[in-house]
Amino acid sequence: MNAPVRTGRLPGAAAATAYQRQWFADLHRDHVPGAPLALVNADAPQEIFRAMGIPYVVNQWWASIVAAKRRTQDHLARLRERGYPDYTEQYSSTALGSAFDPDPASAPWGGLPTPSIVLAETTGDASRKIFDVWGDQPGVTFYPLESAAADTVPERWWELMPHDWESTVGTDRLDLMVGELEGLIRFLEQTTGRRFSEQRFAEVLALTNEQEEWNRRTRDLVAAARPCPVAVTDSIPAVMIPQWHRGTTWARDAAHRLHDEVADRVSAGAAVCDGERARLMWVGRGLWFDLGFYQRFQERYGAVFVWSMYLAIAADGYVRYGDDPLRTLAARFAAFSDQLYTPPWSAEWYVKEARAHGVQGVVHLVSDDARGSWATTRALRAAGIPVLELHADNVDARRSDPDHLDRTVGGWLEAEVLPRADD
Amino acid sequence: MSAALAALLDPALPGRTPDRPVAGYVGADVPVELLTAAGYHPRRLSGSPHEDASAGRRYLGGGLDPVACSVLTRLLAGSYGPLDVLVVSRDCEASLRLFYVLRELRRVEPSVALPPLHLVDVLHLPHRTTTRYVLAKVRGLRAWLAERSGRPVGDDALAAAVVAHDRVRALLRATGELRPRRRLTGTEFLGVVDAATALLPDRAAELLGALVAELADRDPRSGLPVHLTGSAHDCPDVYAAVEAGGLLVVGEDHDRGDLLAATDVGDPGDPAGLELALAERYQHNGPAAPRASIAERAAHTAARVRSRDAAGLLGYVREHDDGPPWDWAAQRAAAGVPAALLERQPYGRVDPDALDRAVRALRAPAVAA
Ligand code: SF4
Ligand code: SF4
């Protein structure tokens, strides 16, 4: 076998990051105060705004920008000053801190323009209240969506969702979300003067399906490729930034480009790690602030993280086909987070993905507000896959101590993963 | 003490131990009328801060409301006695996660003994679309109960159950109205509500009727009258500590107190309207902290402070109960009386120094500020 070709940064990842920067700069340039602008949660039905030509900023993306500039703490302090807690759901409440910014010009990326509408599901006990506070700001309307839950569900959702979503999600939940989306469209038509064109909307849905089908092919390539051709730290921005722009030709083409770049690397035998010994899966939000984290395990042990949820959920979680566009969109979001966090869906899906990617171990980051983490770890272990649970509280406390992380993960690799991988 | 009050607060009270199939339920969003009408003795599950809950925490994780961890631990240990069915509502995020863990345990660990399980997903946005959804969930629960018990839940039985539970609620409200007149302590009221949910409704109504009559002549209780907001209390310890500190809890806005009985189902006139009446009642019962908007909560709290003649507003929030801290700023602004907040308190307890400071702030706001 020829020595694999060592890879550099994926061009598509750099291109997506540059696009996002330009897009936000354009938004700043073009936005006049009071004009329609939405702030939405990452897993909200953004396609309606896309179809109506209303720009939107993704709440979690903005939180990640603030975090990258190390400004999260001063954002949370502004909440505290106003009598709001700074210790619940910080990821969702960071952007609210931007609303109270006394000096937006000095904020990351020139600051978050004030939205005219915020859209969010009423998940959790605190998150709807974060948006209540948004809705209290001058010129801002909060449009809440219910977050409904099912008593029973069929297990293998990833096979059923594209076409059989009616029975997979359930008629009651779909009826509810369709009703709410109809209300949202009427609200936007009346308050923004923009038109909702059913034809345009169908186009947006078709582009989104195309984009996610590219992601599916990319995921399948990565799952089958030996050695691993793309670093998770590259695939994440290359997938997520187009995800926030879904329903545009740029986003569809960016997903296509990612696929082609990965395919080229696979045929060239390119590898992110020369001596790949063990394939690992990363379950949970990433430690993206410590990119070196991943590299160290590659270099020391030949252990490569081949999987993160971002590409995988793009591949399985979005595609929906149907004759009724609005109901089809409702089917994408009425149970979106269940796919990732609610057993049996989540647990069975992680096992399916672990097997498809041939991983020999899973590092599972369990955050304080983790949903369904016990079920995920249990299912993976029951499938014979070693799991290391990293508890986020530990990670936080020792963020400054990479030695601790290295020892924990390294010890586990040596004891449980590498002996099996070398068999 | 009044005889009825003594009876209601007696843990050995006859009727607390069920003599028919038992339906355990989690959360005040479960339409108990359906459980009663289906022939079950409804039993609301409480946690216990005095018992180790690490077994439940192992499944639910460390960041969740400790009440859910305790309820799960007790379910796994069989502490509630035999339950024939278990119905979980979505009254808060922790209850939903509890349901998911139970559902998964039933799927993958059949050796763990758990009763048949159902989620009744009552939602609360004040919209017609939500009502249609809740109606479907009420019908789903009715059908599921019929399947379990092997016979339909008839309209007559349901109408009778609605009347019976409405009567209990009316009597709980009448008992609550004695609180601004200081006829009973908050700790006592909490115990009365607990007893009223533990008994079958007819028996509960009997005792509550006697209670209202007997308390009218009671001497006023002492203490600075406060309205309590924040977390729900499934155990009397925090109330007892607060009242031992010189306060008198004359009202609260959680669903193990006043909020349990805020509204009735009513008589829809036609039995065909019963399910819709249930759906609308449970959708709109009142603004519970985990589900209602900040504005609704603040308006409700302020109205209750006035109607109960409270001289102060006390907030008590348990650790990992994430909703109430977001309500506080608006509640405090709307209350119009001195206010103090006890945040991130351990389950079933209150930090004595923090309580001291709060009591002082409520008594002499100018000095404390
Ligand atoms: S589903 Fe995952 S990626 Fe999407 S917002 Fe929630 S945490 Fe972020
Ligand atoms: S994970 Fe990476 S790409 Fe995604 S938001 Fe965070 S920093 Fe940006």
Side-chain angles (χ1 to χ4, degrees):
Chain A
M1 195 177 156
N2 294 330
V5 184
R6 226 3 230 284
T7 60
R9 177 130 211 240
L10 198 71
T17 308
Y19 180 88
Q20 180 69 2
R21 195 170 267 283
Q22 187 58 46
W23 172 82
F24 196 74
D26 292 349
L27 178 72
H28 253 283
R29 188 196 57 209
D30 299 339
H31 181 71
V32 272
L37 173 68
L39 178 76
V40 298
N41 265 342
D43 43 12
Q46 301 153 9
E47 286 83 344
I48 292 193
F49 297 103
R50 173 77 59 220
M52 297 180 77
I54 297 169
Y56 58 84
V57 175
V58 175
N59 191 30
Q60 286 81 358
W61 167 75
W62 181 250
S64 78
I65 296 300
V66 172
K69 303 281 176 202
R70 303 185 186 282
R71 298 286 300 274
T72 303
Q73 287 315 316
D74 66 67
H75 278 62
L76 294 176
R78 286 180 215 137
L79 300 181
R80 190 76 241 169
E81 278 162 27
R82 282 160 181 80
Y84 302 117
D86 55 5
Y87 52 83
T88 67
E89 302 198 27
Q90 291 98 332
Y91 209 55
S92 298
S93 63
T94 297
L96 180 60
S98 298
F100 302 128
D101 195 336
D103 179 21
S106 78
W109 292 33
L112 179 69
T114 305
S116 57
I117 180 169
V118 295
L119 176 76
E121 285 195 320
T122 48
T123 45
D125 297 345
S127 55
R128 76 81 43 87
K129 310 228 186 210
I130 296 170
F131 291 97
D132 281 341
V133 179
W134 264 117
D136 238 14
Q137 306 313 306
V140 184
T141 302
F142 168 35
Y143 192 96
L145 300 171
E146 290 284 16
S147 167
D151 176 52
T152 52
V153 289
E155 282 171 24
R156 299 171 71 80
W157 62 268
W158 56 91
E159 290 169 1
L160 301 167
M161 277 297 195
H163 297 279
D164 297 336
W165 38 261
E166 182 76 37
S167 61
T168 311
V169 177
T171 293
D172 296 339
R173 290 170 98 178
L174 291 169
D175 285 347
L176 173 58
M177 185 159 251
V178 167
E180 294 185 306
L181 295 182
E182 283 168 349
L184 175 64
I185 292 168
R186 173 66 60 91
F187 172 81
L188 292 173
E189 287 169 335
Q190 288 214 284
T191 55
T192 68
R194 311 264 168 122
R195 200 158 54 85
F196 180 86
S197 154
E198 190 94 12
Q199 294 182 73
R200 172 83 188 106
F201 183 54
E203 247 170 60
V204 166
L205 294 187
L207 280 167
T208 306
N209 277 338
E210 283 178 50
Q211 176 179 344
E212 311 302 351
E213 293 282 10
W214 282 116
N215 286 327
R216 181 185 293 241
R217 291 182 202 107
T218 308
R219 188 271 318 269
D220 292 348
L221 279 176
V222 173
R226 303 288 184 283
C228 178
V230 58
V232 286
T233 44
D234 271 356
S235 65
I236 290 167
V239 169
M240 287 312 292
I241 293 170
Q243 200 65 274
W244 300 319
H245 293 273
R246 63 178 177 271
T248 65
T249 51
W250 176 79
R252 190 258 331 258
D253 296 345
H256 187 168
R257 170 183 184 167
L258 171 63
H259 169 270
D260 290 354
E261 287 179 1
V262 171
D264 288 348
R265 285 188 173 195
V266 171
S267 39
V272 292
C273 172
D274 294 334
E276 179 172 306
R277 272 172 82 197
R279 299 165 62 78
L280 302 176
M281 182 168 173
W282 180 272
V283 174
R285 280 182 194 151
L287 291 180
W288 316 127
F289 53 84
D290 183 10
L291 300 190
F293 176 82
Y294 299 96
Q295 266 148 29
R296 286 197 296 278
F297 298 109
Q298 287 179 20
E299 280 155 20
R300 257 178 240 165
Y301 303 99
V304 183
F305 284 94
V306 302
W307 191 96
S308 82
M309 67 172 168
Y310 300 92
L311 174 58
I313 197 64
D316 284 336
Y318 289 80
V319 173
R320 302 288 188 276
Y321 294 103
D323 299 331
D324 175 349
L326 201 57
R327 200 167 182 84
T328 309
L329 179 66
R332 179 172 293 145
F333 292 105
F336 189 84
S337 65
D338 287 352
Q339 300 175 142
L340 286 167
Y341 300 115
T342 305
W345 280 9
S346 51
E348 294 299 323
W349 181 67
Y350 290 114
V351 170
K352 182 266 288 190
E353 285 293 286
R355 289 195 170 126
H357 286 71
V359 302
Q360 283 103 9
V362 175
V363 178
H364 185 182
L365 184 76
V366 179
S367 63
D368 228 16
D369 61 352
R371 289 175 282 162
S373 56
W374 157 73
T376 295
T377 295
R378 191 218 64 86
L380 288 163
R381 286 185 179 151
I385 301 161
V387 179
L388 174 69
E389 279 197 353
L390 286 180
H391 287 267
D393 26 328
N394 304 350
V395 174
D396 270 352
R398 302 174 208 227
R399 193 172 281 186
S400 53
D401 178 15
D403 285 355
H404 170 78
L405 271 179
D406 287 8
R407 258 181 282 120
T408 308
V409 178
W412 169 77
L413 285 172
E414 281 173 356
E416 287 197 55
V417 177
L418 294 170
R420 301 158 53 115
D422 294 341
D423 272 352
Chain B
M1 192 189 270
S2 102
L5 185 58
L8 282 160
L9 299 183
D10 178 3
L13 175 68
R16 272 188 184 259
T17 313
D19 56 2
R20 47 163 117 179
V22 180
Y25 69 98
V26 175
D29 282 351
V30 174
V32 280
E33 294 81 353
L34 284 166
L35 307 181
T36 303
Y40 291 99
H41 187 126
R43 180 165 182 176
R44 185 167 182 183
L45 305 188
S46 300
S48 165
H50 307 292
E51 297 167 15
D52 172 58
S54 43
R57 201 156 37 240
R58 194 164 75 76
Y59 295 104
L60 285 164
L64 208 64
D65 190 335
V67 171
C69 298
S70 177
V71 169
L72 178 55
T73 305
R74 302 184 93 197
L75 275 168
L76 295 171
S79 313
Y80 298 112
L83 300 177
D84 295 278
V85 295
L86 176 55
V87 180
V88 180
S89 73
R90 223 282 194 60
D91 62 327
C92 64
E93 177 71 4
S95 295
L96 180 65
R97 302 230 206 140
L98 170 65
F99 168 78
Y100 287 144
V101 165
L102 291 168
R103 184 172 77 179
E104 187 69 352
L105 279 170
R106 280 174 53 85
R107 185 178 79 96
V108 299
E109 286 186 18
S111 63
V112 178
L114 287 168
L117 178 70
H118 188 82
L119 174 73
V120 54
D121 189 28
V122 170
L123 301 177
H124 297 283
L125 287 182
H127 303 306
R128 179 191 144 274
T129 41
T130 296
T131 308
R132 303 307 299 174
Y133 180 79
V134 177
L135 176 60
K137 299 302 112 179
V138 166
R139 289 184 174 146
L141 175 60
R142 188 178 186 175
W144 185 80
L145 290 168
E147 223 174 274
R148 310 278 15 131
S149 64
R151 61 192 166 79
V153 181
D155 282 348
D156 289 350
L158 184 52
V162 165
V163 169
H165 283 281
D166 273 355
R167 183 144 168 264
V168 171
R169 284 187 282 257
L171 287 162
L172 282 175
R173 288 195 298 274
T175 309
E177 292 317 315
L178 297 167
R179 296 171 76 186
R181 292 162 54 202
R182 301 163 162 272
R183 293 300 191 261
L184 75 170
T185 65
T187 313
E188 288 167 340
F189 185 74
L190 202 69
V192 167
V193 173
D194 180 63
T197 52
L199 299 168
L200 286 174
D202 290 340
R203 175 76 179 130
E206 231 172 86
L207 286 165
L208 289 171
L211 178 73
V212 172
E214 289 172 13
L215 285 184
D217 301 327
R218 202 186 193 200
D219 290 337
R221 309 290 100 184
S222 63
L224 180 78
V226 296
H227 176 89
L228 181 70
T229 188
S231 298
H233 295 262
D234 60 353
C235 141
D237 296 9
V238 171
Y239 272 61
V242 163
E243 296 194 318
L247 306 179
L248 182 71
V249 180
V250 293
E252 64 280 298
D253 45 36
H254 66 78
D255 63 21
R256 288 179 181 267
D258 285 330
L259 202 59
L260 180 73
T263 63
D264 291 332
V265 178
D267 176 7
D270 179 348
L274 278 169
E275 289 168 341
L276 183 58
L278 279 170
E280 294 195 341
R281 190 273 170 190
Y282 281 89
Q283 179 187 359
H284 299 300
N285 176 51
R291 285 289 167 257
S293 72
I294 291 177
E296 275 179 285
R297 286 280 293 166
H300 177 81
T301 301
R304 302 298 293 184
V305 164
R306 281 193 298 277
S307 70
R308 288 287 168 84
D309 282 331
L313 173 66
L314 179 66
Y316 171 95
V317 185
R318 185 167 54 239
E319 58 181 338
H320 302 308
D321 185 5
D322 288 346
W326 286 94
D327 290 331
W328 178 251
Q331 287 174 312
R332 169 184 210 129
V337 290
L341 176 65
L342 302 159
E343 249 179 315
R344 304 171 90 169
Q345 296 296 305
Y347 176 30
R349 280 181 293 142
V350 51
D351 172 58
D353 296 332
L355 177 59
D356 255 16
R357 281 194 298 276
V359 171
R360 268 182 281 127
L362 293 172
R363 284 193 182 285
V367 179

